[in-house]
Structures are given as structure tokens and as C-alpha cells.
Amino acid sequence: MKRRPTILDVAAQAGVSKSTVSLVLQGSPQVKPGTRAAVQTAMAEIGYVYNRAAANLRSASVGLVGLVINDLRNPFFTEFATTLQMTLASHGYATVIANADEDPALQAKLVASMIEHGVAALVISPVYGEGSETFDQLARSGLPVCQVLRKADERTELFPFASFDYAAGSVAATRHLIDQGARNIAFVGGLPGRAITRERKSGWREVLREAGLAEVALHGKSTRGFGLQAADQLIAEHPQVDAAICFNDLVALGLMAGFARAGRPVGQGFRVVGFDDIEEAAQSWPPLSSVSCDIAQFAQDTAARLLAWMVDQDRPAPELPSAVRLVARASSLGNET
Amino acid sequence: MKRRPTILDVAAQAGVSKSTVSLVLQGSPQVKPGTRAAVQTAMAEIGYVYNRAAANLRSASVGLVGLVINDLRNPFFTEFATTLQMTLASHGYATVIANADEDPALQAKLVASMIEHGVAALVISPVYGEGSETFDQLARSGLPVCQVLRKADERTELFPFASFDYAAGSVAATRHLIDQGARNIAFVGGLPGRAITRERKSGWREVLREAGLAEVALHGKSTRGFGLQAADQLIAEHPQVDAAICFNDLVALGLMAGFARAGRPVGQGFRVVGFDDIEEAAQSWPPLSSVSCDIAQFAQDTAARLLAWMVDQDRPAPELPSAVRLVARASSLGNET
DNA sequence: CATATATTTTGGATCGTTCCAATTCCAGTA
DNA sequence: TACTGGAATTGGAACGATCCAAAATATATG
């Protein structure tokens, strides 16, 4: 017979009752060491594998956390996802990662599937727009849900929101460019109307208005491809622009590639700052200045807050902005190596 | 009472039996449309959520596929993972993605956790080395297991292996560089001793020997950082080298950045070809020539093979190399725009 | 209309674990 | 020896779905 062995088989093999086997499985201290050893030997002998579905059915508490990411292909989010998974793993929780691919319908399906699978909590970097039923469903489930990096639902008492203080980063980046001598600073990338775009733009706008400088903004998707295309547009339509703050590093790297292609490599009179400080920023040429969001640290903090919520019923603050830090590299500095 | 409603509650609400509710849940065609509607209304009214753990316990067949990836941060693997997940989703299977982070111990833990969660099959791009117990465990589980992209276990009748025909790509890339006038072609990146490094190197070596050209190889991690560092080493120690085949695009992009930093931008007498043809290859400057592995297509093929195995007991071939295609771009062509 | 057949619906058994109250074991004490 | 109390072990009742064979209902046939 090919049937998977159960704890009853183990119990028979070890000459104890199924309850004792269950206690061993749970690492209870109240079984005698000798008995424990016998049970463990029996398990190894008959090749027993734990059936978590059965256990969950009875105990309801599952060491499973769901993670839904709007775009897992973006390295920034990949880093967040992998760090969160590893941090939770070190606390005995398994994480299921899913990619919503910026598709609200898929996101809804994934969330429903995770609830069905009985996750104990959910972390979501949501897709924008059309997501209200998803959050209504989450609200009904009563699960601990953390919104991270993107705020798609305003009910932050229900879905506490943690992200970075992008506005402050934007101010710092703009001041830095002005200090370096830039006078026509464009903002490139970010889809218009989104909260995160507004935030990353707000500091730039504020500083420019204070300084009485002109504003040029090119909006679009947050991809390398858009940056490439934006370079051409900037050169053709706004030749006076001498610096750019990009929505993220991917856009910035694309923009730099675009300027290089046009024969005006960044560093020679044109300055660029990105957002996120992904690993590649330090490795590109020229190295890219970026508003650094310590995403690994952020993922660890998120894990800690989530654990506090799940384990100690200690609900996180509704809004929590993490500090950012401007890392100045050659792409924005006056002198060029 | 805060108890989650069960199908019995739904049945009571709708005035039918639990069996009927179960049939509706499974989308059985044998319930009358009127009854179905009544049940669905009842579900909505009392906010029923399906309990998959309970269902799995009885039926054993779970629409769940595990995916373990050696390094999810590598965009090549991220693309594979997300495409596989989406393809399987369109066939009604949920996918749990986990990142082993090149850590054999973590990989073992993840695999064990997935088996416990009752996945119906597993796709693994394994970590190299120390993984034998992991595969022994998988063999014992009797699950359909596909090894993809990396072969860590030689028992390919048990764990069918699918990857790309890297050797052919390597031949094509080397011939191409020679055609373009290169005479000193280095191989950069890839950890020595690994099957995949041997494969990607084999064609290069073969062609060089045929042509009677010298061989220079720099081995290291498959990261942008190593490429950056390799550029300096190449310039300092092997100034005669006039072209490079890189283990992957990340190394190639790092190498190009390194050459640019050293004031010898690629395209002016130095040619580079990478492997994988990640999205960024076309967007860098200069655009990077690469041996294209259509990873999205590969992920879809993998999904199809896995489904055939799971559903029709149709076991895939033990070894299946997918064709690759050289995409020549400015980084390896004679003339520079 | 009675009967045969097809379509829907149903109650009980079952999956493999955990939980709980109850029982057994055993060393220490009177 | 008989008794006690804590430690170790146990059997039965859940958990919430699916499966199956049987029952109820609807439809077709002569």
C-alpha cells in the first residue's frame, strides 16, 4: 500500500498512543526523553511526513503569512519580499509570496486564495485602483493586514500603513542638486495621480518654488524603458534642463542610458538622482546618486511589527514613515572622474 | 459568536443539505441552477469563506504547486517565477514561491515545509552542493518534481531536468565575436566546477581551439559587482583581450560599466556578449548582445509539462534542452552609433 | 396512469491531526 | 503496605470539508 503513514502508524510502530506521538510532534516537554527517542526512531523508520492540513483543521493557528506584491519583477520589491520571508522564517513562520503583476483582478484572486489557505496574517504592497472589494474582503476576514510601500486603502486603522518618508527624501535630493549648481531640475517618471508620485514630487516642487525655479515634469511608468524614452523627450523638448530627479532608480538608469545614447553622458553638465538606491545604483556608470530606502531594514521592521501584532495582539501605528537618506554619487556631483 | 461559518451554516441558511453546498462549491453541473443561486446567496449573506485545509484533508488533491528558487533576486529567476505562477494560475493552480537564497539548509527547510503543506508538485531551481538529503526527501515523497535551469541531482529519471542549450549558445556567441573581428576572447564569470559554467564555457572553448586562439577565463560570482571588478582585472592583467563572453547579463553589464569607468567604453574596440537576454540588455548603453533564453516561454513550457505530469501521469523526458538564440546588439558589433 | 429512467439531493462515514479530561505510572511518605 | 500527588500517557471527541451509496424528485416512455 502506498498510503502516506499517519501518526497512528507511528504510534503502532513505537508502541505508544497517537496522543503521545502528537505531543512529540509539538515538542512538548512532558514526554519522557526515552519515549521521545522511540517515537522519533519510529517516524524515521516508516518515513512519516507531517500533515499540516489536518493539524490546521483542528488547531486553527497556522504559522503561515501571506505576501502579495504588486510587481515582483521590480528588484526593490523582490528585495523586500525575500528579506521578509527570511526574517519570518527565522521566527518559525512560513511565507507564501505572490505577484499581483499590477492587476487588480489577479490581486483579488490571490488574496482570496491566501485567506482560503488559512494564512495567519497578510502583508500587501497593493496594486492601485479597483482594489476596494479586495480590502473589504480582508476587513471581513479579521486578519492582521499590513499595507506596505503603497497605500491603496485609506482605512489605516484597519490596515496599518508603513512606508518611507519620500517627501523628505525629495527635499534633500532637490536641495543637493541646487547645491551642485543645477538650475533646471526636471521630475521624471511616476504615474500621475498616485499618492506615491505626489509624495516623491512634493519635496521637489516645494524646494523649486522656494527657490523660484521652473518646473518640468515628465510622467510615465516606473521602468527603465520609460527613462530611456524620457531622455529623448527631455533633450528634444526641454534642452535647458540640467538635472533630473527620477521617480525611481530604474527610471534614472534608463535616463542615463538614454543620455549616453544621445552622446550626452550624464556627469558632463547633467545630473541625475534616483529613488530606492537599489544595488545596481552603486554599480552603474556613472554610479547613480539615489535616495536610499533601506528596504532590507524596512522588511525586518515590518516582520517585527507583524509578529508583535499576531503574537501579542499589539497593533502597529496606523501610519509609520521610515527615514530615508540621500546617497550622493558621481551622477549628481560637480566633478567627474 | 465570532466563529467562521462552515458549509453547515450555509446549508441551514439556504435550506439545503451540506452535500449540496459542497457540490456548488466544486462547481458541479448536477445541481439545479435555482438551488445553486440560493446557495450562493446564502454564502454571501453569512460571509462564508472556504476552508481549504478541511477540503484537502479529505480529498488529498490540492491545487498547489511549490516553487523553490535558488536566488529570487536574480531578475532571470524572478521572471521565471512570476511567469510560472501566472501560467499555473490560469490553469487553476496556486503557486507558492520561496527563495532559498543559495543556502542548502534553508532550501531543505523550505522543501520540507512545502511537502508538509501538501503541494501537489514541486518545481525547483536548486542550490548547488549539499543538497542530497533534500532530494532524497523529495524522492521519498513521491511527488512530481521538476528540476529547472540548474541540475543539482543527477537522477533525472526521478527529477526530470529542463534547461537551455547553453553550449550551442556559447558556440554561436563565440563565432559571432570572431566574425566581428575579435581575436582574444575572454570568458568572464561563473563559479568554477559547476555544470552550468562548464556548459556556457564549453562552446567558447571548442570554437577557440578550432580557431587556434588563446583562452583567458576569469571566474567569480554571477553578479554585476563581479563584472565591475573583472573589468579592472582584465584591463590590468590581460590588455590584449578584445572581447568577452560573460556568464550572464549581470556580469556583462557590470563589465561594461567597469570599462566605461576605466575610460574604455565598450563598443570602441572591445566587444561583449552576455547570457540570458534580460530586459535590461536592450535598454543599457550600449545595448548588450546576449544569448537569449526565452525564459517566459520556458516557464510556460515548464508549466505545461508539469500539468501533463500531474494530470495525465505523463512524465516529462529526463533531459530537455530548450533552444537559445543569439541577439546581436551594439555591444558586439563592429560599427558604433 | 404506471413504470422505467434520469436528474437532484441527502445523510453518514471519513480524512489526520489536536485538544481535553481521564487514566496509569511511579517515587516518596506515613 | 497503603496512600498520595505529580508526571507521563491515553482514548474519544472534535475540526470542516469531500465522497459515496442511497433516497427523493423530476422526466420520459409505453
Side-chain angles (χ1 to χ4, degrees):
Chain A
M1 73 169 71
K2 306 282 279 178
R3 209 182 91 261
R4 248 161 94 145
T6 75
I7 52 168
L8 278 119
D9 302 314
V10 176
Q13 174 81 10
V16 297
S17 79
K18 64 180 168 47
S19 302
T20 306
V21 178
S22 176
L23 288 173
V24 171
L25 246 19
Q26 293 165 85
S28 160
Q30 70 169 315
V31 310
K32 261 209 279 210
T35 316
R36 183 195 312 282
V39 170
Q40 279 162 343
T41 311
M43 287 201 226
E45 274 172 3
I46 65 177
Y48 168 77
V49 300
Y50 188 63
N51 183 331
R52 208 173 275 269
N56 292 347
L57 180 55
R58 188 65 176 87
S59 62
S61 81
V62 200
L64 228 202
V65 173
L67 173 60
V68 177
I69 294 285
N70 57 299
D71 178 14
L72 196 55
R73 289 182 174 94
N74 183 327
F76 187 63
F77 291 111
T78 313
E79 179 73 25
F80 174 75
T82 53
T83 307
L84 188 79
Q85 178 170 52
M86 288 165 63
T87 310
L88 288 173
S90 71
H91 287 82
Y93 283 82
T95 309
V96 299
I97 303 175
N99 177 34
D101 203 46
E102 302 292 6
D103 176 353
L106 181 55
Q107 173 178 261
K109 229 185 273 178
L110 291 171
V111 166
S113 160
M114 286 184 170
I115 296 177
E116 283 179 7
H117 276 99
V119 295
L122 211 136
V123 176
I124 182 167
S125 169
V127 171
Y128 285 119
E130 307 288 324
S132 59
E133 337 85 54
T134 301
F135 281 96
D136 292 346
Q137 188 179 17
L138 284 170
R140 258 180 281 123
S141 77
L143 252 38
V145 176
C146 289
Q147 271 186 109
V148 293
L149 302 172
R150 293 169 146 219
K151 182 162 50 172
D153 194 287
E154 292 299 326
R155 291 169 284 176
T156 49
E157 356 48 74
L158 272 176
F159 311 117
F161 171 68
S163 187
F164 289 99
D165 191 352
Y166 296 126
S170 177
V171 166
T174 314
R175 292 235 169 91
H176 166 71
L177 286 173
I178 293 178
D179 287 350
Q180 294 298 315
R183 285 297 170 270
N184 269 283
I185 306 171
F187 186 93
V188 179
L191 290 179
R194 294 201 169 158
I196 190 167
T197 305
R198 275 200 300 278
E199 273 191 64
R200 292 190 173 187
K201 235 174 114 171
S202 65
W204 163 79
R205 167 171 290 153
E206 183 187 309
V207 173
L208 289 196
R209 294 208 171 148
E210 264 174 23
L213 299 176
E215 297 171 21
V216 173
L218 258 49
H219 289 292
K221 292 179 73 177
S222 307
T223 59
R224 213 182 282 267
F226 176 73
L228 210 54
Q229 162 198 333
D232 295 337
Q233 197 179 338
L234 222 46
I235 292 169
E237 299 173 15
H238 307 281
Q240 78 287 2
V241 165
D242 58 4
I245 290 190
C246 293
F247 176 81
N248 68 8
D249 286 347
L250 291 180
V251 172
L253 291 162
L255 191 76
M256 293 208 298
F259 270 82
R261 181 170 65 182
R264 289 187 45 188
V266 164
Q268 303 174 8
F270 193 87
R271 296 175 177 83
V272 176
V273 178
F275 254 94
D276 296 349
D277 194 27
I278 61 177
E279 197 185 9
E280 186 186 344
Q283 299 168 335
S284 69
W285 187 255
L288 175 64
S289 299
S290 187
V291 176
S292 168
C293 306
D294 189 340
I295 189 67
Q297 183 62 52
F298 179 81
Q300 286 172 25
D301 294 348
T302 302
R305 277 195 298 273
L306 189 69
L307 288 167
W309 192 358
M310 285 194 294
V311 180
D312 311 325
Q313 308 294 328
D314 191 356
R315 195 190 203 85
E319 301 245 357
L320 204 85
S322 288
V324 300
R325 185 172 52 89
L326 177 69
V327 179
R329 300 200 181 90
S331 77
S332 68
L333 296 176
N335 292 329
E336 186 57 23
T337 13
Chain B
M1 70 170 70
K2 305 282 277 179
R3 210 182 90 264
R4 247 161 95 149
T6 76
I7 53 168
L8 278 119
D9 301 315
V10 176
Q13 174 81 12
V16 297
S17 79
K18 63 181 169 46
S19 303
T20 305
V21 178
S22 176
L23 289 172
V24 171
L25 245 20
Q26 293 166 85
S28 161
Q30 69 168 314
V31 312
K32 261 209 279 210
T35 317
R36 183 195 312 283
V39 169
Q40 279 163 342
T41 312
M43 288 202 228
E45 274 171 3
I46 65 177
Y48 168 78
V49 300
Y50 186 64
N51 183 331
R52 209 171 273 269
N56 292 348
L57 180 55
R58 188 66 175 86
S59 61
S61 82
V62 200
L64 228 202
V65 174
L67 173 60
V68 177
I69 294 286
N70 57 299
D71 178 15
L72 196 55
R73 289 182 174 95
N74 182 328
F76 187 63
F77 291 111
T78 313
E79 179 73 24
F80 174 76
T82 53
T83 307
L84 189 79
Q85 178 171 54
M86 288 165 65
T87 310
L88 288 173
S90 72
H91 287 82
Y93 284 82
T95 310
V96 299
I97 303 175
N99 177 34
D101 203 46
E102 302 291 8
D103 177 353
L106 180 55
Q107 173 178 263
K109 229 185 272 178
L110 291 171
V111 166
S113 160
M114 285 185 171
I115 295 177
E116 283 179 8
H117 275 100
V119 295
L122 211 136
V123 176
I124 182 168
S125 168
V127 171
Y128 285 119
E130 308 289 322
S132 60
E133 335 86 53
T134 302
F135 280 96
D136 291 347
Q137 188 178 17
L138 284 170
R140 257 179 280 122
S141 77
L143 253 38
V145 176
C146 289
Q147 271 186 108
V148 293
L149 302 172
R150 293 168 146 218
K151 182 163 50 171
D153 194 286
E154 293 298 326
R155 290 169 285 176
T156 48
E157 356 48 76
L158 272 177
F159 311 119
F161 171 67
S163 187
F164 289 98
D165 191 352
Y166 296 127
S170 177
V171 167
T174 314
R175 292 234 170 92
H176 166 72
L177 286 173
I178 293 179
D179 287 350
Q180 293 298 315
R183 285 298 170 268
N184 268 283
I185 306 171
F187 187 93
V188 180
L191 290 179
R194 293 201 170 158
I196 189 167
T197 305
R198 274 199 301 276
E199 274 191 64
R200 292 190 173 186
K201 235 174 115 172
S202 65
W204 163 80
R205 167 171 291 153
E206 183 188 311
V207 173
L208 289 196
R209 295 209 170 149
E210 264 174 24
L213 298 176
E215 297 170 21
V216 173
L218 259 49
H219 288 291
K221 293 178 73 178
S222 307
T223 60
R224 213 182 283 266
F226 176 73
L228 210 54
Q229 162 198 332
D232 295 337
Q233 197 179 337
L234 223 45
I235 291 169
E237 300 173 14
H238 307 282
Q240 80 286 3
V241 165
D242 58 4
I245 290 189
C246 293
F247 176 81
N248 68 7
D249 285 347
L250 291 179
V251 171
L253 290 162
L255 191 76
M256 293 208 298
F259 270 81
R261 180 170 66 182
R264 289 187 45 187
V266 164
Q268 303 173 9
F270 193 88
R271 296 175 177 84
V272 176
V273 178
F275 254 95
D276 295 348
D277 194 26
I278 62 177
E279 197 183 10
E280 186 187 344
Q283 298 168 336
S284 68
W285 188 254
L288 174 64
S289 299
S290 187
V291 176
S292 169
C293 306
D294 189 339
I295 188 67
Q297 183 62 52
F298 179 81
Q300 286 172 25
D301 294 347
T302 302
R305 276 194 299 272
L306 190 68
L307 289 167
W309 192 357
M310 286 194 294
V311 180
D312 310 325
Q313 310 294 329
D314 191 355
R315 195 191 204 87
E319 302 244 356
L320 204 86
S322 288
V324 300
R325 185 172 52 90
L326 177 68
V327 179
R329 300 200 182 90
S331 77
S332 68
L333 296 177
N335 292 329
E336 185 57 23
T337 12

